[in-house]
């Protein structure tokens, strides 16, 4: 029995040591990756240092053109948009950035599906658990899932779904297109709406208290340097603008400008401006940036 217990202890020690050693190696590879989504996250967290940051999901990524903002206002800008990520990830990433420096202005594109709508399907914590330098990481993870803090005691666990992603990312990704502009990724397609069915973004009509809590945390923490936008959506109408009332009300509470461009007919019925029903192409993004983003930035600077 004594030999058996000693054997179990030796195996446990071997597992712990192996986890720590392998985890450190994988972590180093991950944080030294410069291409793909991993490289983008590393760059935003570790080195981006501009006057203006654009945050939000894919509509942020594809709708805000930094060169136009800089050429018009004289303020440097970087687009930090991330495909398919909710306010939880953006809040954590912004907290990571502001441990280094505080941008003069933050432009946040709020998306109903990712930032408001109920359900856990967009409450992913994968990217947050890999933000090893984020001082509030553990508290955010525990808030999202009480078991995450325990799981992250393992050094391998945060990277178990991306063990090969860092190596594959060396070949680039959709973020690394040749005409990318300070984080902005232009789209060049032209939408065919022959099979388009508009659902007004209604999935289940419920709101997610966790998402809204982090949206409020983002708005409250950065209220004096924040503008929130709802950028255009093909076919959108005013009938369902109420879906964005939770974001609008939070902005009103903290004195944050809220720019509603979602159903502007200058965009919503012009196929030539769209790559698909949710994303403007480059022509549409440039028009949107000039029509809505530039005035909001100028108003902020002049106040």
């Amino acid at each position: 029995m004594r030999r058996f217990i000693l054997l179990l202890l030796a195996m446990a020690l071997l597992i712990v040591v192996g986890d720590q050693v392998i985890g450190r190696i994988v972590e180093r590879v991950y944080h030294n990756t410069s291409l793909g989504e991993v490289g983008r996250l590393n760059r935003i967290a570790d080195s981006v240092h501009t006057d203006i940051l654009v945050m939000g999901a894919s509509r942020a990524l594809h709708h805000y053109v930094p060169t136009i903002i800089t050429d018009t206002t004289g303020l440097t800008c970087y687009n930090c948009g991330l495909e398919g990520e909710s306010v939880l990830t953006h809040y954590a990433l912004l907290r990571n950035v502001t441990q280094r420096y505080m941008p003069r202005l933050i432009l946040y594109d709020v998306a109903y599906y990712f930032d408001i709508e109920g359900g856990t399907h967009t409450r992913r914590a994968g990217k947050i658990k890999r933000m090893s330098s984020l001082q509030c990481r553990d508290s955010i993870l525990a808030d999202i899932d009480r078991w995450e803090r325990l799981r992250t005691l393992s050094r391998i666990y945060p990277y178990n779904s991306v063990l090969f992603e860092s190596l594959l990312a060396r070949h680039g990704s959709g973020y690394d297109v040749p005409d990318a502009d300070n984080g902005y990724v232009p789209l060049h397609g032209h939408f065919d709406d022959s099979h388009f069915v508009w659902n007004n973004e209604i999935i289940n009509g419920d709101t997610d208290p966790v998402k809204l809590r982090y949206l409020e945390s983002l708005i409250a923490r950065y209220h004096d340097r924040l503008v929130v936008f709802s950028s255009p959506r093909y076919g959108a109408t005013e009938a369902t603008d109420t879906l964005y009332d939770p974001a609008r009300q939070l902005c009103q509470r903290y004195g944050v400008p809220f720019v509603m461009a979602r159903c502007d007919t200058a965009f919503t019925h012009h196929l030539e401006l769209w790559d698909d029903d949710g994303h403007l192409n480059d022509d549409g993004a440039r028009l949107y940036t000039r029509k809505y983003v530039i005035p909001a930035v100028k108003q902020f600077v002049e106040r």
Side-chain angles (χ1 to χ4, degrees):
M1 179 60 71
R2 182 181 177 184
R3 290 181 61 188
F4 179 71
I5 293 174
L6 290 173
L7 181 60
L8 285 179
L9 291 174
M11 290 179 62
L13 180 62
L14 183 63
I15 290 171
V16 170
V17 172
D19 174 86
Q20 295 295 306
V21 171
I22 296 173
R24 286 178 185 275
I25 294 172
V26 174
E27 181 179 6
R28 183 173 299 176
V29 171
Y30 180 90
H31 288 289
N32 283 311
T33 299
S34 60
L35 292 177
E37 185 177 68
V38 174
R40 181 181 182 85
L41 288 166
N42 289 336
R43 186 159 50 254
I44 293 168
D46 299 335
S47 61
V48 167
H49 196 295
T50 56
D51 299 315
I52 301 173
L53 295 180
V54 176
M55 310 289 296
S58 57
R59 288 212 288 254
L61 175 66
H62 301 302
H63 290 185
Y64 297 75
V65 187
T67 296
I68 294 177
I69 296 172
T70 299
D71 289 348
T72 308
T73 67
L75 300 175
T76 57
C77 178
Y78 195 88
N79 189 319
C80 304
L82 293 170
E83 295 275 6
E85 291 297 330
S86 75
V87 66
L88 279 67
T89 300
H90 302 305
Y91 174 77
L93 183 59
L94 190 52
R95 288 290 302 271
N96 210 353
V97 170
T98 55
Q99 287 175 181
R100 287 191 295 110
Y101 90 106
M102 188 64 70
R104 184 172 178 181
L105 177 60
I106 300 159
L107 310 179
Y108 190 83
D109 190 292
V110 64
Y112 173 72
Y113 180 69
F114 292 106
D115 301 329
I116 298 173
E117 189 207 17
T120 59
H121 48 284
T122 55
R123 247 200 242 171
R124 295 185 288 267
K127 293 177 177 61
I128 301 173
K129 66 189 179 185
R130 295 191 286 275
M131 296 180 190
S132 55
S133 63
L134 176 61
Q135 294 168 1
C136 61
R137 184 193 70 165
D138 292 347
S139 62
I140 294 175
L141 290 175
D143 192 30
I144 298 172
D145 181 345
R146 61 180 179 176
W147 296 108
E148 280 294 299
R149 176 66 189 100
L150 182 62
R151 296 183 190 117
T152 52
L153 292 176
S154 163
R155 275 194 172 269
I156 292 178
Y157 169 72
Y159 306 93
N160 61 3
S161 62
V162 289
L163 289 176
F164 301 104
E165 186 175 329
S166 298
L167 295 175
L168 293 174
R170 296 176 190 277
H171 301 290
S173 75
Y175 289 110
D176 305 304
V177 295
D179 57 348
D181 168 15
N182 289 288
Y184 161 66
V185 175
L187 300 173
H188 299 288
H190 289 90
F191 180 47
D192 176 4
D193 71 344
S194 57
H195 301 290
F196 173 66
V197 178
W198 172 239
N199 64 12
N200 272 325
E201 295 183 305
I202 297 176
I203 307 300
N204 57 37
D206 296 328
T207 58
D208 187 321
V210 177
K211 292 178 188 175
L212 289 180
R213 188 161 69 246
Y214 279 91
L215 183 60
E216 180 171 10
S217 294
L218 188 150
I219 292 171
R221 178 173 287 271
Y222 301 106
H223 67 94
D224 60 342
R225 59 189 72 240
L226 176 67
V227 179
V228 175
F229 295 80
S230 175
S231 61
R233 176 78 185 262
Y234 182 77
T237 66
E238 293 180 2
T240 51
D241 276 359
T242 54
L243 291 171
Y244 286 78
D245 280 352
R248 193 196 320 266
Q249 290 162 4
L250 287 171
C251 287
Q252 289 174 347
R253 184 182 307 168
Y254 292 97
V256 170
F258 182 83
V259 180
M260 173 58 82
R262 175 175 173 267
C263 55
D264 183 346
T265 55
F267 299 90
T268 57
H269 300 299
H270 290 268
L271 279 172
E272 70 277 10
L273 299 177
W274 295 88
D275 182 82
D276 59 38
D277 65 295
H279 304 97
L280 294 164
N281 60 28
D282 188 51
D283 291 336
R286 291 176 179 276
L287 178 60
Y288 167 71
T289 300
R290 291 190 180 97
K291 183 173 183 178
Y292 282 99
V293 181
I294 296 302
V297 173
K298 286 184 174 179
Q299 187 174 7
F300 174 87
V301 171
E302 293 169 359
R303 70 181 183 180

